């Protein structure tokens, strides 16, 4: 086992208390003295670390710091939460680990949350990155659903229809996704992936993605429900006012969060650094390009 891998195994998990009485399920991996990278997971998922993701962080002296958003895993639900509510949680986590500054990175549904932290904690965030991050709804100038797979059209359509319609969707989907295995996850995603992403969803990555999903949903679907509702209401911050560099990565084969979302964000996010790759998908971008993604974030090039 490589030295970096041995260091990754010495991570920790703890349930921390917040000022409002809630608790967050916190995960940390990598060098204790490394610069924290606040990772915001997708929807649905959890803060459970993927060793293949943590390894390049360790190589760059970064410390993986993530938590399951409210309602996922052991994190207390925050009913009616907005995207901006993540800012207070991020500040509490940084205070808890004794860190003044950090990077923030969000994948998929974590993208808006990474941007919220960059907007809300400008004196503590060194730089931000989104990978396949979703745009606000509605977003002037794009058809929000164009190019999206049918499963996500159904899901987000239900969130726009009513809470009851979204609950009905979750009642159907949760029994599948709360027990999904690495051998089942590609088929479960169905029309949300094409051949590009299907080719990336193998081996350890498929195992880690399935494990993170099961962990987030093991006690219910309310974190997933609250994510969907938060994406389709006011996020609570101005994306155009973000002053720290925000690296926006998007793939043209993305059927979970269509390419137009990345183009829209790249044109409107303050301090945006676009990285638009027509040849990649939602999954392949994170799997094949993680090293350059981290390096661009660390250089701070604009």
């Amino acid at each position: 086992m490589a030295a970096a891998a041995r260091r990754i195994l010495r991570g920790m998990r703890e349930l921390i208390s917040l000022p409002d009485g809630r608790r967050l399920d916190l995960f940390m991996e990598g060098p204790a003295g490394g610069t924290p990278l606040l990772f915001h997971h997708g929807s649905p998922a959890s803060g459970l670390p993927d060793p293949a993701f943590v390894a390049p962080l360790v190589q760059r002296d970064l410390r993986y710091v993530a938590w399951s958003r409210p309602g996922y895993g052991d994190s207390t639900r925050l009913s009616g939460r907005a995207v901006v509510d993540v800012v207070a949680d991020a500040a509490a986590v940084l205070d808890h680990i004794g860190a003044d500054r950090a990077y923030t990175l969000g994948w998929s549904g974590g993208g808006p949350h990474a941007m919220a932290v960059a907007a809300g904690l400008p004196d503590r965030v060194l730089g931000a990155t989104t990978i396949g991050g979703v745009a606000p709804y509605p977003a002037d100038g794009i058809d929000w659903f164009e190019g999206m797979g049918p499963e996500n059209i159904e899901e987000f359509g239900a969130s726009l229809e009513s809470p009851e319609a979204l609950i009905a969707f979750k009642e159907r989907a949760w029994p599948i996704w709360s027990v999904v295995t690495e051998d089942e996850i590609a088929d479960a995603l169905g029309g949300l992936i094409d051949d590009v992403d299907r080719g990336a969803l193998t081996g350890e990555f498929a195992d880690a993605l399935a494990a993170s999903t099961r962990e987030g949903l093991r006690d219910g679907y309310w974190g997933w429900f609250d994510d969907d509702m938060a994406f389709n209401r006011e996020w609570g911050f101005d994306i155009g006012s973000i002053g720290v560099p925000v690296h926006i990565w998007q793939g043209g084969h993305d059927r979970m969060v269509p390419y137009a979302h990345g183009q829209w964000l790249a044109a409107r996010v303050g301090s945006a650094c676009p990285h638009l790759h027509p040849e990649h998908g939602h999954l392949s971008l994170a799997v094949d390009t993680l090293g350059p993604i981290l390096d661009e974030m660390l250089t701070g090039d604009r």
Side-chain angles (χ1 to χ4, degrees):
M1 184 183 294
R6 287 196 296 271
R7 295 173 75 186
I8 291 167
L9 295 177
R10 292 201 290 267
M12 63 181 297
R13 176 180 186 174
E14 61 178 316
L15 203 58
I16 67 170
S17 297
L18 300 175
D20 64 2
R22 291 183 295 115
R23 298 192 298 175
L24 279 186
D25 204 2
L26 178 66
F27 301 81
M28 289 180 284
E29 296 275 7
T35 303
L37 183 141
L38 305 182
F39 176 72
H40 305 270
H41 62 76
S43 309
S46 65
L48 192 69
D50 172 2
F53 181 87
V54 175
L57 269 66
V58 171
Q59 294 166 2
R60 292 160 175 81
D61 201 31
L62 294 171
R63 189 182 192 192
Y64 176 93
V65 179
W67 57 94
S68 299
R69 280 193 295 278
Y72 287 109
D74 287 330
S75 293
T76 309
R77 186 188 179 197
L78 181 60
S79 180
R81 61 179 162 88
V83 172
V84 74
D85 290 325
V86 73
V87 176
D89 289 353
V93 167
L94 289 174
D95 291 344
H96 177 77
I97 66 175
D100 293 328
R101 307 290 297 276
Y103 293 96
T104 185
L105 184 152
W107 183 30
S108 190
H113 296 88
M115 289 189 289
V117 172
L121 300 175
D123 295 333
R124 304 187 75 171
V125 171
L126 296 163
T129 295
T130 69
I131 308 172
V134 65
Y137 181 89
D140 293 338
I142 63 168
D143 181 339
W144 204 81
F145 290 98
E146 184 177 0
M148 188 177 287
E151 294 84 354
N152 272 9
I153 291 176
E154 180 185 4
E155 178 180 346
F156 288 113
S159 73
L160 291 171
E161 180 181 342
S162 68
E164 293 75 19
L166 186 57
I167 288 172
F169 175 89
K170 301 304 183 193
E171 291 284 353
R172 298 191 300 271
W174 180 79
I176 298 169
W177 287 100
S178 61
V179 297
V180 72
T181 68
E182 63 272 22
D183 295 327
E184 300 165 342
I185 194 165
D187 288 339
L189 285 168
L192 293 174
I193 57 175
D194 65 6
D195 289 344
V196 171
D197 272 338
R198 189 174 293 271
L201 192 56
T202 59
E204 293 181 354
F205 176 62
D207 186 19
L209 187 60
S212 179
T213 304
R214 293 194 305 269
E215 165 64 21
L217 297 178
R218 58 181 162 79
D219 290 330
Y221 53 70
W222 287 111
W224 190 11
F225 173 91
D226 291 331
D227 268 357
D228 285 354
M229 297 301 291
F231 296 146
N232 293 333
R233 64 166 67 102
E234 287 292 330
W235 287 1
F237 65 98
D238 178 10
I239 63 171
S241 68
I242 302 175
V244 300
V246 182
H247 292 269
I248 297 170
W249 294 77
Q250 191 76 30
H253 285 262
D254 195 331
R255 292 179 57 79
M256 299 185 204
V257 180
Y259 195 56
H261 286 235
Q263 293 174 309
W264 190 93
L265 290 169
R268 291 166 175 81
V269 170
S271 300
C273 309
H275 307 275
L276 307 177
H277 291 263
E279 74 280 11
H280 271 299
H282 194 79
L283 307 178
S284 71
L285 189 61
V287 172
D288 298 340
T289 321
L290 183 56
I293 287 172
L294 295 174
D295 290 338
E296 287 288 338
M297 180 186 69
L298 292 173
T299 62
D301 288 342
R302 297 284 299 279

